[in-house]
Amino acid sequence: MPKLNVKQKNWLLSAHVAFGSIWLGTALCIVAIALKNTHTTNGDELYAVNASLKLIDDFVIIPSANLSLLTGGLLCWLTIWGFFKHYWVIVKWIATVLLITTGTVWLGPWLNAATSISEIERSQALSNPLYTFDIKGVLIGGTIQTLSVLIIIGISVLKPWGRRIVKVKSPEESTSSSS
């Protein structure tokens, strides 16, 4: 597969940075709104805020996180960076996949459950232990996820840890190990 030229790489890199930035900014907004939601006493407002958080998650966070992963994969595949040549790329891959997985397995379901409970119970949801657990999970998990995305962006900029040193077997080692 031919590598991208500089202009193509820069366009793809710009898209990757944009999607990562959208993910970070929206995650930060969700945490801020969820924090405000802890002081809501009006049932209709409680549901409206939860429904808004769910809408933001479904239509901004999920696509931007996945597009960030996709553009990162394309950058690894179509440029000299590669998937396993640099420690910072490996760390970013692992962290991004973990964040998307935890968002899918925990944060999304917690937010969906909190929204459903507040839709049915309105202000009574505030005394429901399941709602309290779910919304605290969204707040704490969202904060951790936001900080993690910020760290991933920092790793992208700083590129710490450098290139992996891969030991190449000499011809003698190759023949002796196959004996």
Coordinates of all heavy atoms in Angstrom, one line a residue, residues 81-144:
W81 N 4.5 6.3 10.5 CA 4.3 6.0 12.0 C 4.1 4.6 12.3 O 4.6 4.0 13.2 CB 3.2 6.9 12.6 CG 3.6 8.3 12.7 CD1 4.8 8.8 12.9 CD2 2.7 9.4 12.6 NE1 4.8 10.2 13.0 CE2 3.5 10.6 12.8 CE3 1.3 9.6 12.4 CZ2 2.9 11.9 12.8 CZ3 0.8 10.9 12.4 CH2 1.6 12.0 12.5
G82 N 3.3 3.9 11.5 CA 3.0 2.5 11.8 C 2.2 2.3 13.0 O 1.9 3.2 13.8
F83 N 1.8 1.0 13.3 CA 1.0 0.7 14.4 C 1.9 0.4 15.7 O 1.4 0.6 16.8 CB 0.1 -0.5 14.2 CG -1.0 -0.2 13.2 CD1 -0.9 -0.4 11.9 CD2 -2.2 0.3 13.7 CE1 -2.0 -0.2 11.0 CE2 -3.3 0.6 12.9 CZ -3.2 0.4 11.5
F84 N 3.1 -0.2 15.4 CA 3.9 -0.7 16.6 C 5.3 -0.1 16.6 O 6.1 -0.6 17.3 CB 3.9 -2.2 16.5 CG 2.5 -2.8 16.6 CD1 2.0 -3.4 15.4 CD2 1.7 -2.7 17.7 CE1 0.7 -3.9 15.4 CE2 0.5 -3.3 17.7 CZ -0.1 -3.9 16.6
K85 N 5.6 0.9 15.8 CA 6.9 1.4 15.7 C 7.3 2.4 16.9 O 8.4 2.5 17.2 CB 7.2 2.2 14.4 CG 7.2 1.3 13.2 CD 7.4 2.1 11.9 CE 7.4 1.3 10.7 NZ 7.6 2.1 9.5
H86 N 6.3 3.0 17.4 CA 6.5 4.0 18.5 C 5.6 3.7 19.7 O 4.5 3.4 19.6 CB 6.1 5.4 18.0 CG 6.8 5.8 16.7 ND1 8.0 6.4 16.8 CD2 6.5 5.7 15.4 CE1 8.4 6.7 15.5 NE2 7.5 6.2 14.7
Y87 N 6.3 3.8 20.9 CA 5.5 3.5 22.1 C 4.3 4.5 22.3 O 3.3 4.0 22.8 CB 6.5 3.7 23.3 CG 7.5 2.6 23.4 CD1 8.8 2.8 23.2 CD2 7.1 1.3 23.8 CE1 9.8 1.8 23.3 CE2 8.0 0.3 23.9 CZ 9.4 0.5 23.6 OH 10.3 -0.5 23.7
W88 N 4.5 5.7 21.9 CA 3.4 6.7 22.1 C 2.2 6.3 21.3 O 1.0 6.5 21.7 CB 3.8 8.1 21.8 CG 4.3 8.4 20.5 CD1 5.6 8.3 20.0 CD2 3.5 8.9 19.4 NE1 5.6 8.7 18.7 CE2 4.4 9.1 18.3 CE3 2.2 9.3 19.2 CZ2 3.9 9.5 17.0 CZ3 1.7 9.7 18.0 CH2 2.6 9.8 16.9
V89 N 2.4 5.7 20.1 CA 1.3 5.3 19.3 C 0.6 4.1 19.9 O -0.7 4.0 19.9 CB 1.7 5.0 17.8 CG1 0.6 4.3 17.0 CG2 2.3 6.2 17.1
I90 N 1.3 3.2 20.4 CA 0.8 2.0 21.1 C -0.1 2.4 22.3 O -1.2 1.9 22.5 CB 1.9 1.0 21.5 CG1 2.6 0.5 20.3 CG2 1.3 -0.1 22.3 CD1 3.9 -0.3 20.6
V91 N 0.5 3.3 23.1 CA -0.3 3.8 24.3 C -1.6 4.5 23.9 O -2.6 4.2 24.5 CB 0.6 4.7 25.1 CG1 -0.2 5.4 26.2 CG2 1.8 3.9 25.7
K92 N -1.5 5.3 22.8 CA -2.7 6.0 22.3 C -3.8 5.0 21.9 O -4.9 5.1 22.1 CB -2.4 6.9 21.2 CG -1.8 8.3 21.6 CD -1.6 9.2 20.5 CE -2.9 9.4 19.7 NZ -2.8 10.3 18.6
W93 N -3.3 3.9 21.1 CA -4.2 2.9 20.6 C -4.9 2.2 21.8 O -6.1 2.1 21.8 CB -3.5 1.9 19.8 CG -3.5 2.2 18.4 CD1 -2.5 2.7 17.6 CD2 -4.6 2.1 17.5 NE1 -2.9 2.9 16.3 CE2 -4.2 2.5 16.2 CE3 -6.0 1.7 17.6 CZ2 -5.1 2.6 15.1 CZ3 -6.8 1.7 16.5 CH2 -6.4 2.2 15.3
I94 N -4.1 1.8 22.8 CA -4.7 1.0 23.9 C -5.7 1.9 24.7 O -6.8 1.5 25.0 CB -3.6 0.5 24.8 CG1 -2.8 -0.6 24.1 CG2 -4.1 0.0 26.1 CD1 -1.5 -1.0 24.8
A95 N -5.2 3.2 25.0 CA -6.1 4.1 25.7 C -7.4 4.4 25.0 O -8.5 4.4 25.6 CB -5.3 5.4 26.0
T96 N -7.3 4.6 23.7 CA -8.5 5.0 22.9 C -9.5 3.8 22.9 O -10.7 4.0 23.1 CB -8.1 5.4 21.5 OG1 -7.2 6.6 21.6 CG2 -9.3 5.8 20.7
V97 N -9.0 2.6 22.6 CA -9.8 1.5 22.6 C -10.5 1.2 24.0 O -11.7 0.9 24.1 CB -9.1 0.2 22.1 CG1 -9.9 -1.1 22.3 CG2 -8.7 0.4 20.6
L98 N -9.7 1.4 25.0 CA -10.2 1.2 26.4 C -11.3 2.3 26.7 O -12.3 1.9 27.3 CB -9.1 1.3 27.4 CG -8.2 0.1 27.6 CD1 -7.1 0.4 28.6 CD2 -9.1 -1.1 28.2
L99 N -11.1 3.5 26.3 CA -12.1 4.5 26.5 C -13.4 4.3 25.7 O -14.5 4.4 26.3 CB -11.5 5.9 26.1 CG -10.5 6.5 27.1 CD1 -10.0 7.8 26.5 CD2 -11.1 6.7 28.5
I100 N -13.3 3.9 24.5 CA -14.5 3.6 23.7 C -15.2 2.3 24.3 O -16.4 2.3 24.4 CB -14.1 3.4 22.2 CG1 -13.7 4.7 21.6 CG2 -15.3 2.7 21.4 CD1 -13.1 4.6 20.2
T101 N -14.4 1.4 24.7 CA -15.0 0.2 25.3 C -15.7 0.5 26.6 O -16.9 0.1 26.8 CB -13.9 -0.9 25.6 OG1 -13.3 -1.2 24.3 CG2 -14.5 -2.2 26.1
T102 N -15.1 1.2 27.5 CA -15.7 1.6 28.8 C -16.9 2.5 28.6 O -17.9 2.4 29.3 CB -14.8 2.2 29.8 OG1 -14.2 3.4 29.2 CG2 -13.7 1.3 30.2
G103 N -16.8 3.4 27.6 CA -18.0 4.2 27.2 C -19.2 3.4 26.8 O -20.3 3.6 27.1
T104 N -18.9 2.3 26.0 CA -19.9 1.5 25.4 C -20.5 0.5 26.5 O -21.7 0.3 26.6 CB -19.3 0.6 24.3 OG1 -18.8 1.5 23.3 CG2 -20.4 -0.3 23.7
V105 N -19.6 0.0 27.4 CA -20.0 -1.0 28.3 C -20.7 -0.4 29.6 O -21.6 -0.9 30.1 CB -18.8 -1.9 28.7 CG1 -19.2 -2.8 29.9 CG2 -18.4 -2.7 27.5
W106 N -20.1 0.8 30.0 CA -20.6 1.4 31.3 C -21.3 2.7 31.1 O -22.4 2.9 31.5 CB -19.5 1.5 32.3 CG -19.1 0.2 32.9 CD1 -19.8 -0.7 33.6 CD2 -17.8 -0.5 32.7 NE1 -19.1 -1.8 33.9 CE2 -17.8 -1.7 33.4 CE3 -16.6 -0.1 32.0 CZ2 -16.8 -2.6 33.4 CZ3 -15.5 -1.0 32.1 CH2 -15.6 -2.2 32.8
L107 N -20.5 3.7 30.6 CA -21.1 5.1 30.6 C -22.4 5.2 29.8 O -23.3 5.8 30.3 CB -20.0 6.0 30.1 CG -18.8 6.2 31.0 CD1 -17.8 7.1 30.3 CD2 -19.2 6.8 32.3
G108 N -22.4 4.7 28.6 CA -23.6 4.7 27.8 C -24.8 4.1 28.4 O -25.9 4.7 28.6
P109 N -24.7 2.8 28.9 CA -25.8 2.2 29.6 C -26.2 3.0 30.9 O -27.4 3.1 31.2 CB -25.3 0.8 29.9 CG -24.3 0.5 28.8 CD -23.6 1.9 28.6
W110 N -25.3 3.5 31.6 CA -25.7 4.3 32.8 C -26.5 5.5 32.4 O -27.5 5.8 33.0 CB -24.4 4.7 33.6 CG -23.8 3.6 34.4 CD1 -24.3 2.4 34.8 CD2 -22.4 3.6 34.8 NE1 -23.4 1.7 35.5 CE2 -22.2 2.3 35.5 CE3 -21.4 4.5 34.7 CZ2 -21.0 2.0 36.1 CZ3 -20.1 4.1 35.3 CH2 -20.0 2.9 36.0
L111 N -26.0 6.2 31.4 CA -26.7 7.4 30.9 C -28.1 7.0 30.4 O -29.1 7.7 30.7 CB -25.9 8.1 29.9 CG -26.5 9.4 29.3 CD1 -26.8 10.4 30.5 CD2 -25.5 10.1 28.3
N112 N -28.2 6.0 29.6 CA -29.5 5.6 29.1 C -30.4 5.2 30.2 O -31.6 5.6 30.2 CB -29.3 4.4 28.1 CG -28.5 4.7 26.9 OD1 -28.4 5.9 26.5 ND2 -28.0 3.7 26.2
A113 N -29.9 4.5 31.2 CA -30.8 4.1 32.4 C -31.2 5.3 33.1 O -32.4 5.4 33.5 CB -30.0 3.1 33.3
A114 N -30.3 6.2 33.4 CA -30.7 7.5 34.1 C -31.7 8.3 33.4 O -32.7 8.8 34.0 CB -29.4 8.3 34.4
T115 N -31.6 8.3 32.1 CA -32.6 9.0 31.3 C -33.9 8.4 31.3 O -34.9 9.0 31.5 CB -32.1 9.1 29.8 OG1 -30.8 9.8 29.8 CG2 -33.0 9.9 28.9
S116 N -33.9 7.1 31.2 CA -35.2 6.3 31.3 C -35.9 6.5 32.6 O -37.1 6.7 32.7 CB -35.0 4.8 31.0 OG -34.5 4.6 29.7
I117 N -35.1 6.4 33.7 CA -35.7 6.5 35.0 C -36.2 7.9 35.2 O -37.4 8.1 35.7 CB -34.6 6.2 36.1 CG1 -34.3 4.7 36.1 CG2 -35.1 6.6 37.5 CD1 -33.0 4.3 36.9
S118 N -35.5 9.0 34.8 CA -36.0 10.3 35.0 C -37.2 10.6 34.1 O -38.0 11.5 34.4 CB -34.8 11.3 34.7 OG -34.4 11.3 33.4
E119 N -37.2 10.0 33.0 CA -38.4 10.2 32.1 C -39.7 9.7 32.8 O -40.7 10.3 32.7 CB -38.2 9.4 30.8 CG -39.4 9.6 29.8 CD -39.2 8.9 28.5 OE1 -38.4 7.9 28.4 OE2 -39.8 9.3 27.5
I120 N -39.6 8.5 33.4 CA -40.8 7.9 34.1 C -41.0 8.5 35.4 O -42.2 8.9 35.7 CB -40.6 6.4 34.2 CG1 -40.5 5.7 32.8 CG2 -41.6 5.8 35.1 CD1 -39.9 4.3 32.9
E121 N -40.0 8.7 36.2 CA -40.2 9.1 37.6 C -40.1 10.6 37.9 O -40.4 11.1 39.0 CB -39.2 8.4 38.5 CG -39.4 6.9 38.5 CD -38.5 6.1 39.5 OE1 -37.8 6.8 40.3 OE2 -38.4 4.9 39.4
R122 N -39.6 11.3 36.9 CA -39.3 12.8 37.0 C -38.6 13.1 38.3 O -37.5 12.5 38.6 CB -40.6 13.6 36.9 CG -41.3 13.4 35.6 CD -40.5 13.9 34.4 NE -41.4 13.8 33.2 CZ -41.0 14.0 32.0 NH1 -39.7 14.4 31.8 NH2 -41.8 13.9 31.0
S123 N -39.1 13.9 39.2 CA -38.3 14.3 40.4 C -38.2 13.2 41.4 O -37.3 13.2 42.2 CB -39.0 15.5 41.1 OG -40.3 15.2 41.5
Q124 N -39.0 12.2 41.3 CA -38.9 11.0 42.2 C -37.7 10.2 41.9 O -37.2 9.4 42.7 CB -40.2 10.1 42.1 CG -41.5 10.7 42.5 CD -41.4 11.2 43.9 OE1 -41.0 10.5 44.8 NE2 -41.9 12.4 44.2
A125 N -37.1 10.4 40.7 CA -35.9 9.7 40.3 C -34.7 10.1 41.3 O -33.8 9.2 41.5 CB -35.5 10.1 38.9
L126 N -34.8 11.3 41.9 CA -33.7 11.7 42.8 C -33.6 10.9 44.0 O -32.6 10.8 44.7 CB -33.9 13.2 43.1 CG -33.8 14.1 41.9 CD1 -34.3 15.5 42.3 CD2 -32.4 14.2 41.4
S127 N -34.7 10.2 44.4 CA -34.7 9.3 45.6 C -34.5 7.8 45.2 O -34.6 6.9 46.0 CB -35.9 9.5 46.4 OG -37.1 9.2 45.7
N128 N -34.4 7.6 43.9 CA -34.2 6.2 43.4 C -32.7 5.8 43.4 O -31.9 6.5 42.8 CB -34.7 6.1 42.0 CG -34.6 4.7 41.4 OD1 -33.7 3.9 41.7 ND2 -35.6 4.4 40.5
P129 N -32.3 4.8 44.2 CA -30.9 4.5 44.3 C -30.2 4.1 43.0 O -29.1 4.3 42.8 CB -30.8 3.3 45.3 CG -32.2 3.0 45.8 CD -33.2 4.0 45.1
L130 N -31.0 3.5 42.1 CA -30.5 3.1 40.8 C -30.1 4.3 40.0 O -29.1 4.4 39.4 CB -31.4 2.2 40.1 CG -30.9 1.6 38.8 CD1 -29.6 0.8 39.0 CD2 -32.0 0.7 38.2
Y131 N -31.0 5.3 40.0 CA -30.8 6.6 39.3 C -29.6 7.3 39.9 O -28.7 7.7 39.2 CB -32.0 7.5 39.4 CG -31.7 8.8 38.8 CD1 -31.8 9.0 37.4 CD2 -31.3 9.9 39.6 CE1 -31.5 10.2 36.8 CE2 -31.0 11.1 39.0 CZ -31.1 11.3 37.6 OH -30.7 12.5 37.1
T132 N -29.5 7.3 41.2 CA -28.3 8.0 41.9 C -27.0 7.3 41.5 O -26.0 8.0 41.2 CB -28.5 7.9 43.4 OG1 -29.8 8.5 43.7 CG2 -27.4 8.7 44.1
F133 N -27.0 6.0 41.5 CA -25.8 5.2 41.1 C -25.5 5.5 39.6 O -24.3 5.8 39.3 CB -26.0 3.7 41.3 CG -24.9 2.9 40.7 CD1 -23.8 2.6 41.5 CD2 -24.9 2.4 39.4 CE1 -22.7 1.9 41.0 CE2 -23.9 1.6 39.0 CZ -22.8 1.4 39.7
D134 N -26.4 5.5 38.8 CA -26.2 5.7 37.3 C -25.7 7.1 37.0 O -24.7 7.3 36.3 CB -27.5 5.4 36.5 CG -27.9 4.0 36.4 OD1 -27.0 3.1 36.6 OD2 -29.0 3.7 36.2
I135 N -26.3 8.1 37.6 CA -25.9 9.5 37.3 C -24.5 9.8 37.9 O -23.7 10.5 37.4 CB -27.0 10.5 37.7 CG1 -26.9 11.7 36.8 CG2 -26.9 10.9 39.1 CD1 -27.2 11.5 35.3
K136 N -24.2 9.2 39.1 CA -22.9 9.4 39.7 C -21.8 8.6 38.8 O -20.7 9.1 38.6 CB -22.8 8.8 41.1 CG -23.4 9.8 42.1 CD -23.3 9.3 43.5 CE -23.9 10.3 44.5 NZ -23.9 9.7 45.9
G137 N -22.2 7.5 38.3 CA -21.3 6.8 37.4 C -21.0 7.6 36.1 O -19.9 7.7 35.7
V138 N -22.0 8.3 35.6 CA -21.8 9.1 34.4 C -20.9 10.3 34.8 O -20.0 10.6 34.0 CB -23.2 9.6 33.9 CG1 -23.0 10.7 32.9 CG2 -24.0 8.5 33.3
L139 N -21.1 10.9 35.9 CA -20.3 12.0 36.4 C -18.8 11.6 36.6 O -17.9 12.2 36.1 CB -20.9 12.7 37.6 CG -20.3 13.9 38.1 CD1 -20.3 15.0 37.0 CD2 -21.0 14.5 39.3
I140 N -18.6 10.6 37.4 CA -17.3 10.1 37.7 C -16.6 9.5 36.5 O -15.5 9.9 36.2 CB -17.3 9.2 38.9 CG1 -17.8 9.9 40.2 CG2 -15.9 8.5 39.1 CD1 -18.1 8.9 41.3
G141 N -17.3 8.6 35.8 CA -16.7 8.0 34.6 C -16.5 9.0 33.5 O -15.4 9.0 32.8
G142 N -17.4 10.0 33.4 CA -17.2 11.0 32.4 C -16.0 11.9 32.7 O -15.2 12.3 31.8
T143 N -15.8 12.2 34.0 CA -14.6 13.0 34.4 C -13.3 12.2 34.1 O -12.4 12.8 33.5 CB -14.7 13.3 35.9 OG1 -15.9 14.0 36.1 CG2 -13.5 14.1 36.3
I144 N -13.3 10.9 34.4 CA -12.1 10.1 34.1 C -11.9 10.0 32.6 O -10.7 10.2 32.2 CB -12.3 8.7 34.8 CG1 -12.2 8.8 36.3 CG2 -11.2 7.8 34.2 CD1 -12.7 7.5 37.0

